[in-house]
Amino acid sequence: MFTPVQAIGRLTIGYVRNLGRMGWFILYSLYMIVRSPGSPVYILKQMRFIGTKSLFVIVLTAAFTGMVLGLQGYYTLAKFGSEGMLGTAVALSLIRELGPVLSALMVTGRAGSAITAEIGIMRISEQIDALETMALDPFKYLVTPKFVAAMISMPLLCAIFDVVGIYGGWLVGVKLLGVNPGAYFYEMEKSVMWRDVYSGMVKSFSFGVIIAWIGCYKGYFSGPGAEGVSRATTESVVLTSVIILVWDYFLTSILL
Amino acid sequence: MIRLTGVHKSFGAQKVLNGLNLEIPEGKVTAIIGPSGEGKSVLLKLLIGLLQPDSGLIEVDGECMQGLRRSQLNHIREKFGMLFQNAALFDSMSVFENVAFPLQEKTKLTRDEIRRRVLSALEHVGLKNVEDKFPDELSGGMKKRVGLARAVVLDPKIILFDEPTTGLDPVIKRAIHHLIRETHAKFGFTAVVVSHEIPEIFDIAQNVAMLYQGEILQHGTPDEIQASTHPVVKQFISGSLDGPIHVG
Ligand SMILES: Nc1ncnc2c1ncn2[C@@H]1O[C@H](COP(=O)(O)OP(=O)(O)OP(=O)(O)O)[C@@H](O)[C@H]1O
Ligand SMILES: [Mg+2]
């Protein structure tokens, strides 16, 4: 007769415990970054994986995002006869919003999932336990290098996304639809402020933290077996994407 | 000396250890024997603090292993070396890097000195010219031996071996047993060996403890265990199908 009540209680406790564990995980990671960020070799390796290897997909998605912004922007602006503002529209959408968010979502799919799978496999094959038995802190070798690498790589990837996207918009707007090339860049330069760039960079830095956080967390507490790791990987991608979008809304409302 | 007092450990509804008491004397080889799935690996993980007991006390050299801060726990763990049942090699590192890793992270030795020690540790376990291979390219028995080399490379005071010879061919098995005996005679570490190698283990260990149904059923010298009249112990070391231990 207590069973339904017990079930609700157990669910709630499990939920709260997970939240607490997630909070502890990020706090401890940040503490470890300050205390011993790990060897530069590990960080560079991770930057190569998270950053360099994401370049291709970032350039590709950025080019098409910019191109479609060029098309859509032209269509809308032409209604008011202000095609000259196309550069501004493309650049502001990219720098303030689409660059950080889309690049973060692409990196989540490519690197976030791989981070979870890698750490998850180390968990189930007792490699993390082996580190512990050597009196070494697994965070120093597995977690902090990924945090640092993601925090450095994400803003850089985002900057590349913005630039490629702006040229994508230029290609469609100027080369295809005949917008004045001078106006495209002149209007852009006039209306894009430092704080737009700044807010984009802050966003993308914090998305880097979220990708490393959830990716490592899900792997670190991965369930047993191949099934556990595959579930952790899926959950990691979904949760990271959701948190990025929710956090993006809050951050925009603060930074606006 | 390691002392376990009234140790209980369950996973969910499954009781694994049920008030276990055991004293592991310093400088001796203690063998843990017992049927598969009785909690021998769990026992080793409790000793090194990878698992926490539900209740009971685990002391290493008089220091209690429970409720420690990470730094305190690590301080105790520095006395230990551990060979996992599945070897638990770092699969992103080569064999050489695996064995070199504890030396790099825990000592200030030069590269040449580390290289020398790693190669000699590998040679002792009968591995040559595999330094550059990765764990995925090794056979099960080779992995085990790399794990063994990694566990002993820092000359720890206490070494936990989880089935060091399972899956090895008879010649290498004998060589590993020989290695454990020789290095023990030379360095005098405390060893806890979980093993199914009966009767060979009786030649290596000075102490044997039989784990059965979550408790130490009998603990004594190899001769005492071999002469045991307890029906479970008798059946287990003779490997007979008739007796109180039921299979399946
Ligand atoms: N992490 C865990 N979660 C849940 N159950 C576990 C866990 N680890 C061990 N067990 C259970 O505890 C019991 C003892 O496991 P353990 O690995 O210690 O056996 P063992 O004595 O080492 O057996 P073997 O000789 O086959 O290696 C098993 O029934 C196992 O199912
Ligand atoms: Mg075992």
Side-chain angles (χ1 to χ4, degrees):
Chain A
M1 107 193 227
F2 286 110
T3 325
V5 181
Q6 278 178 337
I8 293 170
R10 191 167 301 148
L11 220 72
T12 316
I13 290 173
Y15 192 69
V16 171
R17 181 174 296 159
N18 272 342
L19 278 181
R21 219 165 49 168
M22 277 173 72
W24 168 83
F25 195 92
I26 190 168
L27 289 181
Y28 189 67
S29 304
L30 297 177
Y31 165 74
M32 279 301 285
I33 290 174
V34 178
R35 229 196 54 176
S36 59
S39 110
V41 181
Y42 289 109
I43 295 175
L44 283 175
K45 259 191 193 159
Q46 290 302 323
M47 281 178 67
R48 186 177 129 82
F49 178 71
I50 297 173
T52 318
K53 293 204 168 167
S54 301
L55 263 181
F56 178 71
V57 47
I58 289 290
V59 168
L60 199 70
T61 45
F64 279 96
T65 307
M67 282 158 70
V68 82
L69 279 177
L71 271 182
Q72 296 279 26
Y74 183 85
Y75 174 81
T76 312
L77 290 170
K79 292 194 170 176
F80 309 103
S82 39
E83 300 92 329
M85 301 296 283
L86 184 64
T88 308
V90 170
L92 281 182
S93 330
L94 279 170
I95 292 172
R96 293 190 59 93
E97 191 58 49
L98 292 176
V101 171
L102 289 182
S103 60
L105 291 179
M106 295 318 290
V107 172
T108 303
R110 224 210 102 258
S113 56
I115 289 174
T116 306
E118 183 194 329
I119 298 186
I121 286 172
M122 295 190 71
R123 162 64 69 200
I124 63 167
S125 60
E126 298 184 314
Q127 294 176 51
I128 294 182
D129 289 341
L131 278 173
E132 297 238 20
T133 62
M134 296 173 190
L136 299 170
D137 191 335
F139 274 65
K140 186 175 154 193
Y141 302 90
L142 305 178
V143 176
T144 53
K146 294 190 166 67
F147 264 85
V148 176
M151 291 195 277
I152 299 174
S153 303
M154 264 330 296
L156 294 176
L157 288 173
C158 170
I160 292 168
F161 193 104
D162 292 347
V163 171
V164 173
I166 286 169
Y167 277 98
W170 171 83
L171 193 72
V172 170
V174 175
K175 290 285 161 189
L176 230 61
L177 301 171
V179 173
N180 182 318
Y184 186 85
F185 283 110
Y186 177 71
E187 293 292 336
M188 189 188 303
E189 202 183 323
K190 229 172 52 177
S191 50
V192 175
M193 300 291 137
W194 164 242
R195 39 176 307 134
D196 299 321
V197 179
Y198 170 79
S199 89
M201 289 297 124
V202 169
K203 278 186 178 180
S204 120
F205 175 83
S206 65
F207 295 159
V209 174
I210 294 173
I211 291 170
W213 173 31
I214 304 299
C216 294
Y217 168 80
K218 283 287 176 189
Y220 201 81
F221 293 105
S222 162
E227 200 192 314
V229 176
S230 85
R231 182 158 3 96
T233 310
T234 314
E235 285 174 3
S236 154
V237 171
V238 173
L239 188 62
T240 309
S241 311
V242 170
I243 294 185
I244 284 175
L245 293 174
V246 173
W247 178 242
D248 180 52
Y249 176 80
F250 282 107
L251 211 53
T252 309
S253 67
I254 295 170
L255 290 172
L256 210 62
Chain B
M1 171 155 100
I2 305 173
R3 183 186 287 134
L4 297 98
T5 324
V7 171
H8 287 261
K9 180 72 192 172
S10 310
F11 294 102
Q14 184 196 5
K15 262 194 161 325
V16 178
L17 299 184
N18 198 0
L20 178 138
N21 296 306
L22 179 62
E23 272 189 21
I24 295 165
E26 194 163 324
K28 297 228 169 91
V29 179
T30 300
I32 312 277
I33 59 172
S36 189
E38 285 289 334
K40 301 183 296 300
S41 300
V42 168
L43 177 61
L44 290 193
K45 287 181 188 168
L46 285 164
L47 291 182
I48 200 165
L50 283 177
L51 293 173
Q52 290 295 323
D54 301 334
S55 65
L57 206 63
I58 299 171
E59 291 162 284
V60 175
D61 292 340
E63 285 178 284
C64 178
M65 291 285 282
Q66 281 91 15
L68 296 182
R69 278 189 285 123
R70 184 169 209 111
S71 55
Q72 296 168 311
L73 186 59
N74 279 346
H75 185 69
I76 298 183
R77 278 180 178 159
E78 290 189 340
K79 298 178 184 175
F80 283 90
M82 177 158 181
L83 166 65
F84 283 81
Q85 186 163 3
N86 70 2
L89 301 179
F90 302 123
D91 53 20
S92 60
M93 298 184 190
S94 70
V95 166
F96 181 87
E97 290 166 330
N98 260 285
V99 183
F101 188 72
L103 291 170
Q104 270 162 10
E105 299 297 323
K106 285 279 161 193
T107 68
K108 294 200 166 58
L109 297 175
T110 62
R111 285 173 78 95
D112 290 342
E113 179 62 15
I114 289 180
R115 185 165 183 81
R116 203 186 57 73
R117 289 213 196 177
V118 171
L119 293 182
S120 114
L122 285 173
E123 203 183 316
H124 271 112
V125 294
L127 289 174
K128 264 189 174 167
N129 303 323
V130 296
E131 303 92 81
D132 298 328
K133 284 196 187 285
F134 281 82
D136 286 339
E137 303 165 344
L138 300 179
S139 73
M142 289 160 95
K143 279 187 208 168
K144 202 95 220 204
R145 287 184 277 159
V146 177
L148 197 60
R150 189 179 68 178
V152 300
V153 75
L154 279 175
D155 291 333
K157 219 175 137 250
I158 306 168
I159 312 185
L160 311 178
F161 300 96
D162 200 343
E163 305 195 8
T165 54
T166 304
L168 301 184
D169 71 52
V171 177
I172 295 173
K173 190 180 289 186
R174 174 150 308 171
I176 297 289
H177 282 154
H178 186 73
L179 176 74
I180 294 177
R181 203 172 24 213
E182 292 294 295
T183 47
H184 178 257
K186 201 159 126 201
F187 297 111
F189 48 74
T190 306
V192 184
V193 189
V194 169
S195 181
H196 290 303
E197 306 297 346
I198 291 169
E200 292 94 323
I201 195 69
F202 295 131
D203 292 335
I204 296 160
Q206 286 103 51
N207 264 302
V208 181
M210 164 116 183
L211 180 66
Y212 188 65
Q213 295 186 339
E215 289 173 52
I216 297 296
L217 195 61
Q218 194 169 9
H219 183 195
T221 64
D223 291 337
E224 284 166 7
I225 296 289
Q226 277 170 299
S228 171
T229 53
H230 195 295
V232 173
V233 180
K234 245 169 98 173
Q235 182 197 354
F236 186 71
I237 60 180
S238 65
S240 154
L241 279 178
D242 307 317
I245 308 175
H246 294 289
V247 182

